[in-house]
Amino acid sequence: MASLTSSRNSNSSSWTPKQNKLFEKALAVYDKDTQDRWHNVAKAVGGKSAEEVKRHYEILVQDLMHIESGQVAIPNYRTTTGSSSRGIADYEQRYRTLL
C-alpha cells in the first residue's frame, strides 16, 4: 500500500534489517507491562530513541491492522521453473530481504 510506505519513510528514521530483528526480539522480552518498555527496547536495538522505537511499533500495528482487514493484497508468488524446492528457496530469499 503506497500510503503506508510513504508515511513510514517520512515519519521515521531508516531501520536496518539488523535493527528490525533486534526490535522484534526486544518486543518479545519487554511486553506492554514492562516499566520503561520503550527505553528498554531502544537500548536493545541501539542507535534509536525511545520515541523512535515507540513510533516504529505504532507503524507495525497499523500495518498489521491493514493486512488483517484485507486492505493489503496477498502477493501472488510465482514459482520458478524447476523443482518446488527452488520455489521455496526463492520465497525465503524474498522474505529475508523484507527483514
Side-chain angles (χ1 to χ4, degrees), residues 53-72:
V53 296
K54 183 178 179 184
R55 178 67 185 138
H56 197 61
Y57 177 79
E58 291 167 350
I59 291 169
L60 173 65
V61 170
Q62 288 174 353
D63 285 352
L64 289 173
M65 288 179 5
H66 284 103
I67 290 166
E68 291 175 352
S69 68
Q71 295 179 19
V72 176

